[in-house]
Amino acid sequence: ADCVKFGGGMGDIIRGGKTSGYPRYCEGSRYWLQYAGAKPELVYKLGFRSRGPEDPDYTEDYVCRAEYANYLKGAPYGPNKDRNFPGLKIPVDLYFSFHTDAGIKDGIVGTLTVYRVRDDDNLTTFPNGEDRLENNRMFADMLQSEIVNTARAKYTGSWTRRQLRDMDFSEDRRGNMPSCLLELLAHQNFHDMQYGLDPRFRFDISRAIYKAMLKFIAFKNGYEPVVQPLAPTHFRITRQSETSALLEWKAQPDLLEPSAMPEGYIVYKRTGEDESLSDFDEGVLTREPRFIAEKLDPDTVYSFRIAAYNAGGKSFPSEALCVKTGRGASEKKRCLIINAFDRLAPPSYIIKEGHSGFDRIDKGVGYMANYGLTGDMWDYDPKSKFRTNDAPGHGASSGDLETKLELGNTFDFSIRHGAALAKAGWGFDCASDEAVREGLVDLKTYPLVDWLLGEERTTEPPKGFNEEGAPDKMKTDFKALEQGDQELISEYLKQGGAIFLSGAYMATDLAGADTATAQDKKFLEETLKIYWTTNHGCKTNDVLPAPESSFNVLPEFHISSGIGEDGIYGVELPDSIKPAVAPKGVKDFETSETILRYRENGWSAATAMQKPRKVVVFGFPFECVVGAENRAKVMQAVTEYLAK
């Protein structure tokens, strides 16, 4: 196994007369070990005196972790109370403890790694005679180097490499195998956390930790390490016949690791309109970056995703795209769904004199979900001092979200569009925006394009604290519609195509953002015939049809706004957009019309036009319309309007 996850379900250990009420993965190690049946006297009940009202559980929680690794491995590496305990005979190669440190400074506190030369019995060797200094220090050094090099190469040249220290902690001392303790960054330091809350940074640093472990184990065992590949990109699915579809994609190189190239790929399939990620099958292997899916039912929706593999393991999966091949007679009703929602981002923040922190006006977008979120920040005063764990000063947050998941980008939203299109009688292909931008998909072959933007918006890197001569490596990313996209859309519409654009930030990005250009605004106003009003379109997320429009037969509906509502991310900042008006002195000006409005204020939520171009624009993501039945009705109205 590349990874084994311990835990799952709700905590069921009774302490103080009740259970915690938290998911098991949020509880301390000590409770999981009691649940798992580890011997208390060898692993966590080690006789430490209470040091406060939270003890002994607090102490038992951190002393148990390395002892559990010993418990898994067993004699002669068993728990320090009894190293001859047979254990579970699991060949544990190393013990690693992941921490974030405390500390506040101007700039980045950075990364510290800690190891220990002497064990519980003051010995400097492991039970097999190997030297603790040589092994523990080597592992700690490789870990710190991999992390710092990755952070500097991909994010900021000023990422700080702190000490490599021999320090006495239970988690670096008790392990009877190579061990170290990582202090990745300072969770109290605002500048560190601008990176620490970014899902991209989390992924890359976690991958760096994995690489360090792999390289250490490979060195110890005398073989060349091969790093697992990255997820494939440029994915697209094209109908070949009523019963087959062509899947194509590209390998994604790891610019920091030449060995991480794929040897082949695994193609996973899901049948039907259920959007559960767990419903994908076990996959089939292919050596080439293409695959023909056969024996498809023309009237069924199928989803696919791709993972790359090599000798080092399997990548994370690609985005999931879907297809409905349809029957020959329905080819005039064929749509291309473009998945352009790639964004992963930290929450928005504010920096001004005497007031800084994460305001979460834009909550950001987590990978799958924001695990570990506690609540919104309420102490923005940089001078606010730590008093207690319950009043930690600057950065203090509420606790109302501790047991909840704030859903993020699953890269699997085309299925909601596809399912609604299928109910409207349309067949469809699907492509990533990268494939479209590079000309791998020809828009002109489709009478209708559904451009899925989700919460895509320009996301800028942290600013204002790099050392002189050490510029940021991160670039501005995730613009809703790049200039090339705008040119493709304009050309497609000129040739008689019809387009449905939906997303929370498209108009904001092209008209309201600091990064918006004159070309962006021109495209918005002259090609799409809309003006941007605000990205605070509404709070309640209730939508009703505009009585004066042809969409007035639609029912009122709701856009997901909360945690887990309808099993999808919430829209905190829907755009309000309105039809463009004729410039002064211009006659016979053709514009769009408002077709949907936000219930709470009557502001325009969506526009549509049939002349001079066929365009429907939503100021919110279509996939976030709550209820499959509502989505089907809305898509029916959109496609009927654009097909006229």
Side-chain angles (χ1 to χ4, degrees):
D2 294 314
C3 181
V4 177
K5 177 185 175 184
F6 297 105
M10 296 297 292
D12 58 3
I13 300 302
I14 296 175
R15 305 295 287 167
K18 61 182 180 180
T19 60
S20 69
Y22 282 71
R24 205 184 306 281
Y25 75 85
C26 288
E27 288 190 333
S29 304
R30 180 248 186 264
Y31 303 131
W32 190 84
L33 290 171
Q34 181 177 343
Y35 157 77
K39 286 185 174 294
E41 65 276 8
L42 295 180
V43 179
Y44 56 90
K45 286 200 168 295
L46 304 180
F48 287 93
R49 290 183 300 169
S50 174
R51 298 184 303 172
E54 72 274 24
D55 277 329
D57 288 16
Y58 178 80
T59 304
E60 289 179 357
D61 185 65
Y62 67 76
V63 299
C64 75
R65 299 169 189 175
E67 294 290 10
Y68 181 54
N70 299 335
Y71 184 89
L72 290 174
K73 191 164 188 176
Y77 308 93
N80 286 294
K81 289 283 187 180
D82 181 6
R83 292 192 180 178
N84 291 320
F85 179 75
L88 302 185
K89 304 299 183 186
I90 297 173
V92 178
D93 290 294
L94 56 87
Y95 170 78
F96 165 67
S97 180
F98 195 143
H99 287 231
T100 54
D101 202 359
I104 300 173
K105 61 173 282 190
D106 289 332
I108 296 170
V109 174
T111 302
L112 166 76
T113 50
V114 175
Y115 65 93
R116 186 62 176 158
V117 172
R118 298 182 180 275
D119 69 5
D120 246 17
D121 296 326
N122 211 32
L123 300 176
T124 58
T125 58
F126 292 116
N128 64 356
E130 288 190 359
D131 188 72
R132 289 178 62 91
L133 171 62
E134 179 182 337
N135 282 271
N136 289 354
R137 192 183 192 284
M138 180 193 302
F139 177 37
D141 190 12
M142 293 174 75
L143 183 71
Q144 188 182 49
S145 297
E146 200 73 48
I147 290 170
V148 172
N149 291 344
T150 297
R152 290 178 178 175
K154 300 194 74 171
Y155 294 92
T156 174
S158 61
W159 192 263
T160 307
R161 178 170 183 145
R162 297 170 63 194
Q163 303 96 324
L164 185 64
R165 299 179 65 180
D166 178 0
M167 299 180 71
D168 186 7
F169 295 110
S170 282
E171 289 178 82
D172 65 354
R173 181 184 77 245
R174 291 177 172 274
N176 291 325
M177 67 286 293
S179 309
C180 83
L181 183 151
L182 169 68
E183 299 286 5
L184 173 63
L185 50 75
H187 55 253
Q188 281 186 300
N189 198 53
F190 178 43
H191 296 152
D192 287 57
M193 290 306 294
Q194 286 177 268
Y195 292 99
L197 292 182
D198 191 314
R200 295 167 293 172
F201 182 85
R202 292 180 175 190
F203 177 87
D204 286 324
I205 295 305
S206 298
R207 185 168 167 85
I209 292 168
Y210 146 71
K211 288 177 182 178
M213 292 177 174
L214 169 66
K215 292 174 182 179
F216 175 78
I217 293 170
F219 176 80
K220 291 279 294 177
N221 290 277
Y223 62 84
E224 281 297 315
V226 176
V227 172
Q228 69 177 142
L230 291 169
T233 62
H234 296 74
F235 187 23
R236 63 264 189 208
I237 307 176
T238 311
R239 178 190 190 274
Q240 296 293 285
S241 71
E242 289 188 3
T243 59
S244 65
L246 173 64
L247 285 62
E248 298 175 284
W249 58 89
K250 286 186 177 182
Q252 180 181 182
D254 182 341
L255 300 180
L256 302 180
E257 189 55 58
S259 73
M261 290 303 293
E263 294 177 10
Y265 304 90
I266 307 170
V267 179
Y268 299 97
K269 181 176 74 174
R270 178 179 61 199
T271 302
E273 298 172 11
D274 186 350
E275 59 198 77
S276 172
L277 288 168
S278 64
D279 285 345
F280 280 93
D281 64 16
E282 295 183 1
V284 295
L285 301 180
T286 178
R287 288 284 184 174
E288 301 301 320
R290 65 193 306 274
F291 179 80
I292 296 180
E294 298 179 299
K295 298 181 180 179
L296 304 180
D297 179 347
D299 299 318
T300 299
V301 176
Y302 296 92
S303 301
F304 296 89
R305 60 180 184 174
I306 317 297
Y309 71 86
N310 63 13
K314 183 175 66 173
S315 75
F316 279 64
S318 70
E319 63 198 299
L321 301 182
C322 56
V323 65
K324 179 190 170 192
T325 57
R327 301 186 185 276
S330 66
E331 281 309 285
K332 62 181 179 180
K333 296 179 69 174
R334 189 143 199 89
C335 178
L336 174 67
I337 303 171
I338 298 174
N339 180 30
F341 184 17
D342 305 313
R343 182 170 172 243
L344 295 171
S348 57
Y349 57 85
I350 186 169
I351 303 176
K352 61 183 182 180
E353 185 68 30
H355 188 88
S356 64
F358 299 96
D359 57 13
R360 278 176 40 93
I361 292 174
D362 175 352
K363 294 179 181 178
V365 184
Y367 179 75
M368 301 296 173
N370 279 329
Y371 295 96
L373 184 67
T374 63
D376 290 340
M377 182 172 165
W378 51 262
D379 190 333
Y380 289 88
D381 183 357
K383 295 181 180 179
S384 183
K385 300 295 185 182
F386 176 92
R387 300 196 305 278
T388 69
N389 285 337
D390 296 326
H394 183 222
S397 303
S398 301
D400 57 307
L401 301 180
E402 287 184 357
T403 62
K404 299 179 176 66
L405 281 182
E406 187 173 87
L407 300 180
N409 195 343
T410 63
F411 300 90
D412 186 25
F413 303 123
S414 66
I415 183 64
R416 290 197 168 201
H417 291 242
L421 281 164
K423 285 184 172 61
W426 286 72
F428 53 87
D429 296 340
C430 206
S432 66
D433 56 342
E434 296 86 5
V436 172
R437 285 180 189 137
E438 293 195 10
L440 302 174
V441 180
D442 186 0
L443 301 188
K444 296 191 297 293
T445 60
Y446 299 91
L448 174 64
V449 168
D450 175 359
W451 203 297
L452 184 170
L453 285 161
E455 289 198 312
E456 199 80 350
R457 76 181 301 184
T458 299
T459 302
E460 299 188 68
K463 294 178 179 178
F465 54 89
N466 280 329
E467 299 168 3
E468 189 175 350
D472 271 331
K473 306 291 182 179
M474 290 179 73
K475 67 182 188 305
T476 298
D477 209 351
F478 305 123
K479 185 169 182 174
L481 290 174
E482 296 179 359
Q483 185 171 341
D485 301 333
Q486 297 171 30
E487 292 169 357
L488 281 170
I489 292 170
S490 297
E491 186 62 28
Y492 172 71
L493 291 172
K494 279 181 188 176
Q495 297 182 12
I499 194 164
F500 172 33
L501 290 153
S502 69
Y505 298 117
M506 185 198 72
T508 293
D509 227 14
L510 299 187
D514 293 339
T515 54
T517 66
Q519 173 59 40
D520 293 336
K521 295 175 184 177
K522 183 178 179 181
F523 171 78
L524 197 69
E525 296 172 9
E526 296 185 9
T527 301
L528 302 184
K529 298 289 186 180
I530 59 174
Y531 285 160
W532 171 74
T533 304
T534 177
N535 66 336
H536 293 266
C538 71
K539 188 73 172 176
T540 62
N541 284 15
D542 294 319
V543 178
L544 69 161
E548 69 275 17
S549 80
S550 59
F551 286 71
N552 59 11
V553 296
L554 285 176
E556 296 184 19
F557 58 86
H558 182 68
I559 310 163
S560 59
S561 56
I563 293 173
E565 188 178 22
D566 201 36
I568 199 168
Y569 65 93
V571 182
E572 63 270 30
L573 295 170
D575 267 346
S576 177
I577 54 176
K578 63 181 182 180
V581 296
K584 199 169 184 179
V586 176
K587 295 182 179 180
D588 300 321
F589 180 79
E590 292 184 285
T591 187
S592 56
E593 62 171 324
T594 292
I595 57 172
L596 300 172
R597 294 186 180 276
Y598 297 117
R599 166 169 278 286
E600 73 186 62
N601 48 33
W603 293 352
S604 179
T607 65
M609 65 177 170
Q610 291 169 328
K611 292 181 180 180
R613 290 167 286 278
K614 294 183 177 182
V615 178
V616 171
V617 182
F618 282 13
F620 54 88
F622 169 80
E623 64 271 15
C624 292
V625 173
V626 173
E629 184 178 341
N630 284 332
R631 290 192 294 274
K633 290 177 180 177
V634 172
M635 185 63 80
Q636 180 78 41
V638 169
T639 54
E640 286 180 356
Y641 180 91
L642 291 174
K644 289 179 182 177

